[in-house]
Amino acid sequence: MIVTPVEPSRVDTSRETQPSRPASSRWRAVAGAYLALMKLRVVELLLITTLPAMVLAERGLPSPGLVAATLVAGTLAGGSAHAFNQVLERDIDAVMHRTRRRPLARAQVPPYHAFAFASLLLAGSTAIMLVWVNALAAALTIAANLFYVLVYTMLLKRRTSQNIVWGGVAGCVPTLIGWAAVTGSLDWPPVLLFLVVFFWTPPHYWPLAMRYREDYVRAEVPMLPAVASATTVATQILAYSWAMVVTTLALWPVGDLGWIFGLLAVVTGAWFLSEAHRLHGRARRDPSGAGLKAMRLFHGSITYLTVVFAGVMADVLILG
């Protein structure tokens, strides 16, 4: 028998030279991947709209147990929706620079494991709502989750440039959930809170999509900035911004709020509209460069929503 010698340079010594990762490190990596599926930074924004709605409904601080149950269930439900979304959009995430490091895009978590994880989160959220909150809050939680997954992710995202407008409805429902958790019913103040978030969503998301327009073009997702001119996008952002500010001001009398909320709503609304007009002006002068400046409005929109909803809480808790 003739044995062919193997050149030393071609011998695979990777297993000998690369130390195996400690078990604790592997577990941390796995846990981190599953947490990343939940997109907790986005969930945090949803909770910002839930607690003020509860305070407004109570006209004070609700019981700590009710607040904890509602926020925990909301966190699980939001995390579930985002995990389902990443299962269904893993092909898109893999080709977009902004999302290519997500767990499923990097094959850190098998899709069926992620689906099971998302299902467990939704089941846990529903159980908490039914046991410690109430049936209406549970029904709204399930509806928001299913709307985000079935309507936005599966039906709208890849088919219409208005995807984020109607898909954003799911992100508005926590205002209704917060009110329902306290009262077991709905009323006009939570509807106005819902509409504030609804009109806020396009001016929040479209500037981000303007900045990463090429990502959406590459992924063949018809997000408005990927299929329309910067001037058209900026015009629609301006229209939604005006609708958002007007709705926020309408909450002042309808929600029986005082001067603290009114002052914050007027000042932040004026600032937001000035930024939206500035973006519109830049888009008209230089459509190709508008996306580079759009992130200012994206980051500012988060501040706006936080201040407005914090203003609701401050007004109720300080002025009664």
Side-chain angles (χ1 to χ4, degrees):
M1 180 176 67
I2 300 175
V3 178
T4 305
V6 178
E7 297 179 16
S9 61
R10 296 183 181 178
V11 175
D12 183 7
T13 59
S14 59
R15 294 187 179 182
E16 298 177 6
T17 58
Q18 295 180 2
S20 60
R21 297 173 64 184
S24 59
S25 177
R26 291 197 300 271
W27 277 109
R28 283 196 299 270
V30 171
Y34 279 94
L35 284 175
L37 286 175
M38 297 177 68
K39 294 172 64 175
L40 291 178
R41 292 186 64 181
V42 179
V43 172
E44 178 184 349
L45 196 60
L46 299 178
L47 299 182
I48 286 174
T49 66
T50 305
L51 182 57
M54 298 181 73
V55 171
L56 183 59
E58 184 72 31
R59 302 304 301 191
L61 283 174
S63 70
L66 180 63
V67 171
T70 304
L71 296 186
V72 169
T75 299
L76 296 179
S80 166
H82 293 140
F84 279 130
N85 174 267
Q86 290 181 64
V87 171
L88 295 169
E89 293 189 354
R90 59 190 185 277
D91 58 325
I92 295 175
D93 289 343
V95 299
M96 293 179 62
H97 290 297
R98 187 173 64 86
T99 59
R100 61 186 178 182
R101 296 187 65 80
R102 288 178 178 173
L104 285 164
R106 299 177 65 189
Q108 290 180 302
V109 179
Y112 53 91
H113 286 185
F115 185 88
F117 177 65
S119 301
L120 287 173
L121 290 177
L122 180 58
S125 171
T126 304
I128 292 171
M129 283 289 189
L130 287 173
V131 174
W132 285 290
V133 188
N134 58 56
L136 178 58
L140 289 169
T141 299
I142 296 171
N145 185 287
L146 295 180
F147 189 93
Y148 186 79
V149 175
L150 301 180
V151 178
Y152 171 64
T153 303
M154 297 185 67
L155 182 62
L156 299 176
K157 182 71 173 281
R158 306 183 196 227
R159 290 179 173 85
T160 172
S161 62
Q162 296 297 304
N163 46 25
I164 197 64
V165 176
W166 301 108
V169 166
C172 309
V173 177
T175 58
L176 304 180
I177 294 172
W179 185 280
V182 172
T183 66
S185 63
L186 295 175
D187 205 339
W188 282 111
V191 170
L192 285 178
L193 290 172
F194 177 99
L195 290 175
V196 168
V197 183
F198 177 79
F199 291 129
W200 168 87
T201 302
H204 166 67
Y205 199 87
W206 280 339
L208 179 70
M210 291 175 74
R211 174 65 180 85
Y212 293 97
R213 178 182 181 277
E214 296 304 319
D215 264 358
Y216 290 102
V217 172
R218 186 182 305 108
E220 299 181 348
V221 174
M223 195 65 65
L224 184 65
V227 298
S229 68
T231 305
T232 298
V233 177
T235 300
Q236 292 203 32
I237 286 174
L238 189 59
Y240 278 104
S241 298
W242 272 99
M244 175 191 70
V245 172
V246 169
T247 305
T248 303
L249 292 175
L251 179 63
W252 190 358
V254 174
D256 193 24
L257 295 166
W259 67 266
I260 294 177
F261 174 80
L263 178 62
L264 291 173
V266 169
V267 171
T268 56
W271 172 83
F272 197 99
L273 289 176
S274 70
E275 288 296 324
H277 277 279
R278 187 173 290 116
L279 176 62
H280 184 259
R282 281 195 297 264
R284 293 183 62 182
R285 290 190 302 271
D286 179 20
S288 63
L292 298 177
K293 300 292 184 179
M295 291 300 286
R296 178 181 171 93
L297 188 60
F298 168 75
H299 292 297
S301 66
I302 299 174
T303 302
Y304 174 85
L305 194 71
T306 303
V307 171
V308 165
F309 276 80
V312 171
M313 283 186 59
D315 197 282
V316 171
L317 296 178
I318 295 173
L319 300 181

PDB file of all heavy atoms in Angstrom, residues 156-179:
ATOM      1  N   LEU A 156     -48.425  43.396   4.301  1.00  0.00           N
ATOM      2  CA  LEU A 156     -48.148  44.756   3.832  1.00  0.00           C
ATOM      3  C   LEU A 156     -46.684  45.035   3.514  1.00  0.00           C
ATOM      4  O   LEU A 156     -46.391  45.765   2.563  1.00  0.00           O
ATOM      5  CB  LEU A 156     -48.618  45.768   4.891  1.00  0.00           C
ATOM      6  CG  LEU A 156     -50.108  45.763   5.228  1.00  0.00           C
ATOM      7  CD1 LEU A 156     -50.392  46.745   6.350  1.00  0.00           C
ATOM      8  CD2 LEU A 156     -50.927  46.130   3.997  1.00  0.00           C
ATOM      9  N   LYS A 157     -45.771  44.499   4.297  1.00  0.00           N
ATOM     10  CA  LYS A 157     -44.371  44.910   4.238  1.00  0.00           C
ATOM     11  C   LYS A 157     -43.783  44.839   2.827  1.00  0.00           C
ATOM     12  O   LYS A 157     -43.086  45.742   2.374  1.00  0.00           O
ATOM     13  CB  LYS A 157     -43.545  44.036   5.189  1.00  0.00           C
ATOM     14  CG  LYS A 157     -42.043  44.374   5.266  1.00  0.00           C
ATOM     15  CD  LYS A 157     -41.799  45.674   5.990  1.00  0.00           C
ATOM     16  CE  LYS A 157     -40.304  45.926   6.214  1.00  0.00           C
ATOM     17  NZ  LYS A 157     -39.762  45.152   7.343  1.00  0.00           N
ATOM     18  N   ARG A 158     -44.053  43.781   2.111  1.00  0.00           N
ATOM     19  CA  ARG A 158     -43.446  43.573   0.796  1.00  0.00           C
ATOM     20  C   ARG A 158     -44.370  43.983  -0.357  1.00  0.00           C
ATOM     21  O   ARG A 158     -44.028  43.743  -1.517  1.00  0.00           O
ATOM     22  CB  ARG A 158     -43.055  42.104   0.627  1.00  0.00           C
ATOM     23  CG  ARG A 158     -42.160  41.580   1.747  1.00  0.00           C
ATOM     24  CD  ARG A 158     -41.744  40.146   1.491  1.00  0.00           C
ATOM     25  NE  ARG A 158     -41.217  39.517   2.686  1.00  0.00           N
ATOM     26  CZ  ARG A 158     -40.082  38.804   2.726  1.00  0.00           C
ATOM     27  NH1 ARG A 158     -39.363  38.651   1.650  1.00  0.00           N
ATOM     28  NH2 ARG A 158     -39.680  38.247   3.851  1.00  0.00           N
ATOM     29  N   ARG A 159     -45.519  44.601  -0.041  1.00  0.00           N
ATOM     30  CA  ARG A 159     -46.503  44.855  -1.100  1.00  0.00           C
ATOM     31  C   ARG A 159     -46.876  46.317  -1.295  1.00  0.00           C
ATOM     32  O   ARG A 159     -47.368  46.675  -2.363  1.00  0.00           O
ATOM     33  CB  ARG A 159     -47.784  44.046  -0.827  1.00  0.00           C
ATOM     34  CG  ARG A 159     -47.622  42.545  -1.016  1.00  0.00           C
ATOM     35  CD  ARG A 159     -48.917  41.813  -0.702  1.00  0.00           C
ATOM     36  NE  ARG A 159     -48.834  40.393  -1.041  1.00  0.00           N
ATOM     37  CZ  ARG A 159     -48.332  39.466  -0.241  1.00  0.00           C
ATOM     38  NH1 ARG A 159     -47.860  39.824   0.953  1.00  0.00           N
ATOM     39  NH2 ARG A 159     -48.277  38.204  -0.619  1.00  0.00           N
ATOM     40  N   THR A 160     -46.711  47.159  -0.299  1.00  0.00           N
ATOM     41  CA  THR A 160     -47.179  48.534  -0.433  1.00  0.00           C
ATOM     42  C   THR A 160     -46.207  49.521   0.210  1.00  0.00           C
ATOM     43  O   THR A 160     -45.585  49.209   1.231  1.00  0.00           O
ATOM     44  CB  THR A 160     -48.567  48.711   0.201  1.00  0.00           C
ATOM     45  OG1 THR A 160     -48.921  50.097   0.222  1.00  0.00           O
ATOM     46  CG2 THR A 160     -48.597  48.193   1.628  1.00  0.00           C
ATOM     47  N   SER A 161     -46.121  50.700  -0.384  1.00  0.00           N
ATOM     48  CA  SER A 161     -45.250  51.741   0.158  1.00  0.00           C
ATOM     49  C   SER A 161     -45.829  52.360   1.430  1.00  0.00           C
ATOM     50  O   SER A 161     -45.131  53.089   2.144  1.00  0.00           O
ATOM     51  CB  SER A 161     -45.031  52.835  -0.896  1.00  0.00           C
ATOM     52  OG  SER A 161     -46.262  53.456  -1.226  1.00  0.00           O
ATOM     53  N   GLN A 162     -47.098  52.077   1.706  1.00  0.00           N
ATOM     54  CA  GLN A 162     -47.730  52.580   2.928  1.00  0.00           C
ATOM     55  C   GLN A 162     -47.674  51.534   4.045  1.00  0.00           C
ATOM     56  O   GLN A 162     -48.446  51.604   5.009  1.00  0.00           O
ATOM     57  CB  GLN A 162     -49.182  52.953   2.631  1.00  0.00           C
ATOM     58  CG  GLN A 162     -49.332  54.094   1.645  1.00  0.00           C
ATOM     59  CD  GLN A 162     -48.732  55.395   2.160  1.00  0.00           C
ATOM     60  OE1 GLN A 162     -49.091  55.873   3.229  1.00  0.00           O
ATOM     61  NE2 GLN A 162     -47.817  55.966   1.395  1.00  0.00           N
ATOM     62  N   ASN A 163     -46.770  50.577   3.912  1.00  0.00           N
ATOM     63  CA  ASN A 163     -46.686  49.476   4.876  1.00  0.00           C
ATOM     64  C   ASN A 163     -46.540  49.960   6.319  1.00  0.00           C
ATOM     65  O   ASN A 163     -47.231  49.479   7.220  1.00  0.00           O
ATOM     66  CB  ASN A 163     -45.556  48.514   4.503  1.00  0.00           C
ATOM     67  CG  ASN A 163     -44.272  49.239   4.138  1.00  0.00           C
ATOM     68  OD1 ASN A 163     -44.029  50.369   4.572  1.00  0.00           O
ATOM     69  ND2 ASN A 163     -43.442  48.598   3.329  1.00  0.00           N
ATOM     70  N   ILE A 164     -45.645  50.894   6.543  1.00  0.00           N
ATOM     71  CA  ILE A 164     -45.366  51.308   7.918  1.00  0.00           C
ATOM     72  C   ILE A 164     -46.515  52.125   8.494  1.00  0.00           C
ATOM     73  O   ILE A 164     -46.702  52.170   9.715  1.00  0.00           O
ATOM     74  CB  ILE A 164     -44.043  52.100   7.989  1.00  0.00           C
ATOM     75  CG1 ILE A 164     -43.541  52.171   9.437  1.00  0.00           C
ATOM     76  CG2 ILE A 164     -44.214  53.510   7.422  1.00  0.00           C
ATOM     77  CD1 ILE A 164     -43.185  50.821  10.023  1.00  0.00           C
ATOM     78  N   VAL A 165     -47.308  52.781   7.632  1.00  0.00           N
ATOM     79  CA  VAL A 165     -48.438  53.579   8.118  1.00  0.00           C
ATOM     80  C   VAL A 165     -49.451  52.672   8.806  1.00  0.00           C
ATOM     81  O   VAL A 165     -49.827  52.883   9.969  1.00  0.00           O
ATOM     82  CB  VAL A 165     -49.102  54.352   6.966  1.00  0.00           C
ATOM     83  CG1 VAL A 165     -50.333  55.091   7.481  1.00  0.00           C
ATOM     84  CG2 VAL A 165     -48.112  55.332   6.342  1.00  0.00           C
ATOM     85  N   TRP A 166     -49.899  51.646   8.080  1.00  0.00           N
ATOM     86  CA  TRP A 166     -50.910  50.752   8.636  1.00  0.00           C
ATOM     87  C   TRP A 166     -50.296  49.691   9.546  1.00  0.00           C
ATOM     88  O   TRP A 166     -50.912  49.272  10.531  1.00  0.00           O
ATOM     89  CB  TRP A 166     -51.710  50.118   7.509  1.00  0.00           C
ATOM     90  CG  TRP A 166     -52.376  51.177   6.694  1.00  0.00           C
ATOM     91  CD1 TRP A 166     -52.053  51.581   5.426  1.00  0.00           C
ATOM     92  CD2 TRP A 166     -53.434  52.032   7.124  1.00  0.00           C
ATOM     93  NE1 TRP A 166     -52.855  52.624   5.035  1.00  0.00           N
ATOM     94  CE2 TRP A 166     -53.715  52.929   6.061  1.00  0.00           C
ATOM     95  CE3 TRP A 166     -54.185  52.137   8.300  1.00  0.00           C
ATOM     96  CZ2 TRP A 166     -54.701  53.905   6.133  1.00  0.00           C
ATOM     97  CZ3 TRP A 166     -55.174  53.112   8.372  1.00  0.00           C
ATOM     98  CH2 TRP A 166     -55.427  53.973   7.306  1.00  0.00           C
ATOM     99  N   GLY A 167     -49.079  49.284   9.232  1.00  0.00           N
ATOM    100  CA  GLY A 167     -48.409  48.338  10.120  1.00  0.00           C
ATOM    101  C   GLY A 167     -48.131  48.938  11.480  1.00  0.00           C
ATOM    102  O   GLY A 167     -48.069  48.225  12.496  1.00  0.00           O
ATOM    103  N   GLY A 168     -47.989  50.268  11.516  1.00  0.00           N
ATOM    104  CA  GLY A 168     -47.719  50.944  12.774  1.00  0.00           C
ATOM    105  C   GLY A 168     -48.874  50.905  13.757  1.00  0.00           C
ATOM    106  O   GLY A 168     -48.713  51.267  14.931  1.00  0.00           O
ATOM    107  N   VAL A 169     -50.044  50.472  13.289  1.00  0.00           N
ATOM    108  CA  VAL A 169     -51.207  50.367  14.182  1.00  0.00           C
ATOM    109  C   VAL A 169     -50.886  49.496  15.395  1.00  0.00           C
ATOM    110  O   VAL A 169     -51.312  49.782  16.517  1.00  0.00           O
ATOM    111  CB  VAL A 169     -52.420  49.801  13.412  1.00  0.00           C
ATOM    112  CG1 VAL A 169     -53.528  49.370  14.367  1.00  0.00           C
ATOM    113  CG2 VAL A 169     -52.947  50.845  12.424  1.00  0.00           C
ATOM    114  N   ALA A 170     -50.117  48.431  15.165  1.00  0.00           N
ATOM    115  CA  ALA A 170     -49.781  47.529  16.276  1.00  0.00           C
ATOM    116  C   ALA A 170     -49.013  48.262  17.369  1.00  0.00           C
ATOM    117  O   ALA A 170     -49.192  47.974  18.564  1.00  0.00           O
ATOM    118  CB  ALA A 170     -48.959  46.350  15.757  1.00  0.00           C
ATOM    119  N   GLY A 171     -48.170  49.204  16.971  1.00  0.00           N
ATOM    120  CA  GLY A 171     -47.403  49.960  17.957  1.00  0.00           C
ATOM    121  C   GLY A 171     -48.209  50.999  18.702  1.00  0.00           C
ATOM    122  O   GLY A 171     -47.745  51.560  19.701  1.00  0.00           O
ATOM    123  N   CYS A 172     -49.443  51.268  18.226  1.00  0.00           N
ATOM    124  CA  CYS A 172     -50.320  52.225  18.893  1.00  0.00           C
ATOM    125  C   CYS A 172     -51.167  51.571  19.979  1.00  0.00           C
ATOM    126  O   CYS A 172     -51.638  52.251  20.899  1.00  0.00           O
ATOM    127  CB  CYS A 172     -51.262  52.880  17.876  1.00  0.00           C
ATOM    128  SG  CYS A 172     -50.470  53.578  16.423  1.00  0.00           S
ATOM    129  N   VAL A 173     -51.379  50.272  19.867  1.00  0.00           N
ATOM    130  CA  VAL A 173     -52.317  49.562  20.752  1.00  0.00           C
ATOM    131  C   VAL A 173     -51.904  49.599  22.226  1.00  0.00           C
ATOM    132  O   VAL A 173     -52.790  49.574  23.099  1.00  0.00           O
ATOM    133  CB  VAL A 173     -52.510  48.110  20.264  1.00  0.00           C
ATOM    134  CG1 VAL A 173     -53.415  47.323  21.205  1.00  0.00           C
ATOM    135  CG2 VAL A 173     -53.109  48.107  18.860  1.00  0.00           C
ATOM    136  N   PRO A 174     -50.610  49.673  22.597  1.00  0.00           N
ATOM    137  CA  PRO A 174     -50.283  49.757  24.032  1.00  0.00           C
ATOM    138  C   PRO A 174     -50.965  50.900  24.767  1.00  0.00           C
ATOM    139  O   PRO A 174     -51.208  50.794  25.977  1.00  0.00           O
ATOM    140  CB  PRO A 174     -48.761  49.928  24.023  1.00  0.00           C
ATOM    141  CG  PRO A 174     -48.328  49.172  22.814  1.00  0.00           C
ATOM    142  CD  PRO A 174     -49.387  49.454  21.787  1.00  0.00           C
ATOM    143  N   THR A 175     -51.313  51.988  24.064  1.00  0.00           N
ATOM    144  CA  THR A 175     -52.056  53.063  24.730  1.00  0.00           C
ATOM    145  C   THR A 175     -53.437  52.573  25.155  1.00  0.00           C
ATOM    146  O   THR A 175     -53.921  52.910  26.237  1.00  0.00           O
ATOM    147  CB  THR A 175     -52.204  54.270  23.798  1.00  0.00           C
ATOM    148  OG1 THR A 175     -52.887  53.872  22.585  1.00  0.00           O
ATOM    149  CG2 THR A 175     -50.840  54.831  23.419  1.00  0.00           C
ATOM    150  N   LEU A 176     -54.064  51.772  24.290  1.00  0.00           N
ATOM    151  CA  LEU A 176     -55.378  51.212  24.621  1.00  0.00           C
ATOM    152  C   LEU A 176     -55.258  50.153  25.717  1.00  0.00           C
ATOM    153  O   LEU A 176     -56.113  50.061  26.608  1.00  0.00           O
ATOM    154  CB  LEU A 176     -56.019  50.589  23.375  1.00  0.00           C
ATOM    155  CG  LEU A 176     -56.176  51.497  22.148  1.00  0.00           C
ATOM    156  CD1 LEU A 176     -56.842  50.714  21.009  1.00  0.00           C
ATOM    157  CD2 LEU A 176     -56.955  52.751  22.479  1.00  0.00           C
ATOM    158  N   ILE A 177     -54.188  49.361  25.632  1.00  0.00           N
ATOM    159  CA  ILE A 177     -53.975  48.315  26.637  1.00  0.00           C
ATOM    160  C   ILE A 177     -53.792  48.924  28.018  1.00  0.00           C
ATOM    161  O   ILE A 177     -54.357  48.443  29.015  1.00  0.00           O
ATOM    162  CB  ILE A 177     -52.753  47.456  26.256  1.00  0.00           C
ATOM    163  CG1 ILE A 177     -53.032  46.666  24.970  1.00  0.00           C
ATOM    164  CG2 ILE A 177     -52.381  46.513  27.399  1.00  0.00           C
ATOM    165  CD1 ILE A 177     -51.815  45.949  24.414  1.00  0.00           C
ATOM    166  N   GLY A 178     -52.993  50.001  28.097  1.00  0.00           N
ATOM    167  CA  GLY A 178     -52.764  50.645  29.385  1.00  0.00           C
ATOM    168  C   GLY A 178     -54.049  51.159  30.009  1.00  0.00           C
ATOM    169  O   GLY A 178     -54.301  50.973  31.216  1.00  0.00           O
ATOM    170  N   TRP A 179     -54.890  51.797  29.203  1.00  0.00           N
ATOM    171  CA  TRP A 179     -56.164  52.311  29.708  1.00  0.00           C
ATOM    172  C   TRP A 179     -57.087  51.154  30.110  1.00  0.00           C
ATOM    173  O   TRP A 179     -57.699  51.176  31.179  1.00  0.00           O
ATOM    174  CB  TRP A 179     -56.824  53.172  28.627  1.00  0.00           C
ATOM    175  CG  TRP A 179     -58.089  53.845  29.074  1.00  0.00           C
ATOM    176  CD1 TRP A 179     -59.332  53.279  29.154  1.00  0.00           C
ATOM    177  CD2 TRP A 179     -58.247  55.199  29.518  1.00  0.00           C
ATOM    178  NE1 TRP A 179     -60.263  54.204  29.600  1.00  0.00           N
ATOM    179  CE2 TRP A 179     -59.620  55.389  29.828  1.00  0.00           C
ATOM    180  CE3 TRP A 179     -57.368  56.275  29.654  1.00  0.00           C
ATOM    181  CZ2 TRP A 179     -60.110  56.619  30.274  1.00  0.00           C
ATOM    182  CZ3 TRP A 179     -57.869  57.499  30.103  1.00  0.00           C
ATOM    183  CH2 TRP A 179     -59.210  57.656  30.403  1.00  0.00           C
TER     184      TRP A 179
END
